Amino acid sequence: ESSANLIKLDPSRVLGAVDDKVYSGFLEHMGRCIYGGIVDFDSTVPGLTNEKGYRLDVADALKELNMPVVRYPGGNFVSSYHWLDGVGPKDQRPRRPELAWLGEEPNHFGTDEFMEWCEYMNTEPYLCLNMGTGTLDEALAWVEYCNSDKNTYYANLRRKNGHEKPYNVKYWSLGNEVWGPWQVGQMPAADYGKKAFQWAKALKLLDPNIKLVACGCTGFEEWDYIVTQALISQVDLYSIHLYTSSDDHYKNVTGTAGAERGIQICSKLLDLAKIQQKAYNADVKICFDEWNVWDGERAPGYLGAEEQYTLSDALAVASWCNVFIRQASLIGMANIAQLVNVIAPIMTSKTDLFLQTIYHPFLLFCKYMRGESLNLHVESPTYKGDTGCSFTESSVGGELLWVKGVEPAIPMLDVSATKKDGIITIAVVNRSLEDDLTTKIVLEGDYKETVTVYTVHHDDIAATNTFENKEVVKVEESTCKLGDLESYTFRKHSFVMLRISS
Ligand code: AHR
């Protein structure tokens, strides 16, 4: 046991506002995410679905997360998706091959169904445009269908399909992972930059109120340098993606340090583009619209995507969320990928669901880590072994990067803090497999005697939830006294959230 650990915070030292949109989600037509996940049109189980086919148990579990925005319909899927296939009478919609996951798309769930589901869920839609097989005309038609109140063809098609009022979809992204070798329509960064520039101009002519999201890579690649330069004057958000994972616990929970550094570098690339392109009015925040723990090799089920999460993964997800809080001033949106069955916090069967281990810390963040992010001083042992940061392989030149091969120092106590409505919330992952870390928590100000404590922990780092044993890893709620923070013990491999009221 170690006792020289310290978490010190002064609530007047605000790093920035936490955008609620960091708790957004992502749904893709992939495996059992849409069909069998958020909807089941064939279910005969009484009460499981409503008249629209929504899985009500899934909707309830997602409603707890109170997600402001949900991105749809892909992902890789979107790069060969024609949105017109998914509107109008269901029996006339074509069944198509889809090229991302080499499946078949029945098109029973499309734009109108997604918009209605979003309304039911009280969340805002975010649509990703097809820059693979899709054309600019098709993209314009989709924006017109969703957002126009004029007497024009696609706006009238929406009316004909039963939706008089425009949906006013605000967020639209210019393609998905266009850099990826797996992507239909993969192209070099400079080609993407030119094409997306033209699309952006046309889309904003049609609807100046939309917010456009550029397709970035990880935030620290050559692609990101070229594309930030090309699109800084045209877009409102810059998207990056990263999945972390390892069977080795320490690599699993330290991979998030790569995401954090990636965010910082990406933000510097955006600043550089502003200056070099003289786009002084640009205000482009990062949109981390795919993030999670995902090991495609490990996961059973459809395409290796039905990941079954462990306690170690739950701690990694808590560290992911800590990154978003610490970097709050740079992040405009983040979308956990995905929401149901596919790389997801919720797993369903035809009759039931269980909440994966990762659901629990994520729920605590969604509920409590809002408001303003606070500056922190943390002292704890650092991890000395190999990390899970993919970052050191990055290829953008110059002093913006870590030196290749140099591993960052990663603290065993991973911490972030917020304040909202007079409540200070401190989120702490103890990454250590060996040591409970007794820590002095120093907090300026006067507070109530009783502190609420939420803990996610299990003796077995590989503990997992299943349909048979749904609550092996869950949130435990307790209290402690304010005075206990003088010397508070964070158990090894645990996640703790402390809520301190003034
Ligand atoms: O979320 C699964 C896939 O991961 C997405 O389709 C793609 O964008 C990423 O490579």
Side-chain angles (χ1 to χ4, degrees):
E1 190 169 307
S2 164
S3 60
N5 307 301
L6 177 68
I7 297 172
K8 197 172 172 189
L9 65 142
D10 168 357
S12 66
R13 295 179 61 126
V14 172
L15 290 175
V18 177
D19 195 313
D20 283 343
K21 294 196 293 303
V22 298
Y23 302 119
S24 295
F26 169 45
L27 293 172
E28 175 166 4
H29 284 256
M30 177 179 178
R32 297 190 306 124
C33 179
I34 303 288
Y35 307 109
I38 59 160
V39 291
D40 187 343
F41 295 127
D42 307 319
S43 180
T44 52
V45 180
L48 193 73
T49 52
N50 69 2
E51 70 292 348
K52 294 195 166 175
Y54 302 167
R55 278 283 299 247
L56 296 173
D57 51 351
V58 172
D60 286 348
L62 287 176
K63 275 184 180 168
E64 287 289 305
L65 302 173
N66 195 11
M67 291 192 165
V69 174
V70 175
R71 176 178 181 248
Y72 170 86
N76 298 337
F77 171 81
V78 83
S79 299
S80 63
Y81 176 64
H82 297 291
W83 69 271
L84 267 169
D85 290 343
V87 297
K90 280 196 187 168
D91 58 354
Q92 288 167 35
R93 296 185 193 174
R95 187 176 177 88
R96 303 272 194 203
E98 63 83 16
L99 303 181
W101 313 107
L102 302 180
E104 291 172 21
E105 174 51 50
N107 283 306
H108 292 157
F109 189 92
T111 303
D112 294 309
E113 288 78 20
F114 177 60
M115 296 300 154
E116 286 173 21
W117 183 84
C118 284
E119 199 185 338
Y120 175 79
M121 295 295 295
N122 193 23
T123 191
E124 202 175 330
Y126 161 19
L127 293 176
C128 184
L129 294 166
N130 173 1
M131 287 192 76
T133 62
T135 62
L136 173 55
D137 270 341
E138 198 180 348
L140 287 164
W142 204 6
V143 174
E144 182 192 328
Y145 184 90
C146 290
N147 290 0
S148 175
D149 60 1
K150 303 230 166 80
N151 179 21
T152 52
Y153 181 81
Y154 289 106
N156 286 332
L157 183 62
R158 182 195 67 239
R159 293 185 183 100
K160 189 175 152 203
N161 289 337
H163 300 274
E164 179 56 37
K165 287 209 184 112
Y167 298 119
N168 292 322
V169 177
K170 198 194 291 173
Y171 300 101
W172 296 81
S173 63
L174 296 158
N176 175 72
E177 295 188 356
V178 180
W179 45 270
W182 50 85
Q183 205 65 232
V184 175
Q186 183 196 5
M187 64 187 110
D191 294 0
Y192 171 74
K194 276 186 205 144
K195 185 171 171 180
F197 185 94
Q198 290 171 346
W199 279 42
K201 290 223 156 191
L203 290 159
K204 288 227 175 171
L205 279 176
L206 182 68
D207 185 349
N209 297 320
I210 57 175
K211 303 276 180 212
L212 288 175
V213 186
C215 168
C217 186
T218 51
F220 47 81
E221 299 292 337
E222 198 67 32
W223 174 280
D224 297 301
Y225 175 71
I226 295 168
V227 172
T228 49
Q229 294 279 331
L231 295 182
I232 189 73
S233 62
Q234 301 302 318
V235 297
D236 304 280
L237 289 156
Y238 186 83
S239 143
I240 58 178
H241 292 175
L242 192 69
Y243 294 92
T244 55
S245 85
S246 174
D247 286 341
D248 175 276
H249 166 73
Y250 283 112
K251 288 189 180 166
N252 199 30
V253 294
T254 55
T256 52
E260 185 152 21
R261 197 72 182 102
I263 290 166
Q264 292 169 323
I265 286 169
C266 188
S267 142
K268 289 191 165 48
L269 292 176
L270 289 163
D271 282 347
L272 195 67
K274 249 173 104 157
I275 296 162
Q276 293 187 336
Q277 299 300 319
K278 299 188 171 46
Y280 303 119
N281 294 327
D283 179 17
V284 181
K285 290 241 161 63
I286 292 168
C287 175
F288 218 125
D289 57 15
E290 286 187 34
W291 70 269
N292 205 344
V293 176
W294 181 22
D295 179 347
E297 305 279 292
R298 181 171 73 184
Y302 188 85
L303 297 168
E306 296 205 354
E307 188 98 19
Q308 180 124 359
Y309 290 106
T310 62
L311 174 65
S312 176
D313 298 324
L315 301 182
V317 160
S319 279
W320 265 106
C321 294
N322 274 342
V323 168
F324 296 134
I325 299 301
R326 283 192 295 262
Q327 303 304 326
S329 62
L330 309 178
I331 308 273
M333 192 192 303
N335 307 62
I336 188 168
Q338 302 183 7
L339 293 181
V340 193
N341 292 329
V342 173
I343 333 169
I346 298 166
M347 179 73 86
T348 68
S349 68
K350 284 300 243 179
T351 54
D352 200 5
L353 68 65
F354 74 88
L355 303 174
Q356 297 247 25
T357 61
I358 63 168
Y359 179 93
H360 298 292
F362 187 59
L363 173 69
L364 289 172
F365 273 87
C366 290
K367 274 183 150 166
Y368 302 125
M369 293 297 273
R370 301 191 187 233
E372 291 174 307
S373 171
L374 299 178
N375 200 359
L376 285 164
H377 174 72
V378 178
E379 289 176 21
S380 88
T382 51
Y383 170 64
K384 299 285 187 302
D386 288 345
T387 69
C389 302
S390 56
F391 189 76
T392 45
E393 292 303 318
S394 175
S395 58
V396 191
E399 68 278 16
L400 291 172
L401 296 186
W402 274 330
V403 179
K404 190 173 171 187
V406 176
E407 295 283 357
I410 297 177
M412 281 298 186
L413 286 182
D414 182 52
V415 191
S416 74
T418 55
K419 74 167 172 188
K420 190 179 182 206
D421 303 332
I423 301 177
I424 307 293
T425 310
I426 310 177
V428 183
V429 179
N430 179 357
R431 291 167 158 143
S432 177
L433 285 179
E434 290 85 23
D435 296 319
D436 294 345
L437 294 173
T438 299
T439 304
K440 183 174 173 136
I441 301 172
V442 180
L443 179 61
E444 295 277 320
D446 295 324
Y447 300 95
K448 297 213 169 99
E449 251 315 290
T450 304
V451 174
T452 307
V453 183
Y454 299 99
T455 306
V456 179
H457 177 262
H458 194 278
D459 288 342
D460 179 6
I461 191 67
T464 187
N465 295 343
T466 59
F467 285 108
E468 295 72 35
N469 284 305
K470 293 183 180 176
E471 299 200 337
V472 177
V473 176
K474 60 179 194 293
V475 177
E476 276 158 37
E477 184 176 342
S478 59
T479 58
C480 73
K481 295 276 162 237
L482 194 59
D484 297 340
L485 301 185
E486 276 287 309
S487 176
Y488 191 92
T489 300
F490 294 101
R491 275 185 291 174
K492 61 187 174 187
H493 55 80
S494 68
F495 172 62
V496 171
M497 190 174 271
L498 301 166
R499 304 256 296 153
I500 307 158
S501 304
S502 55

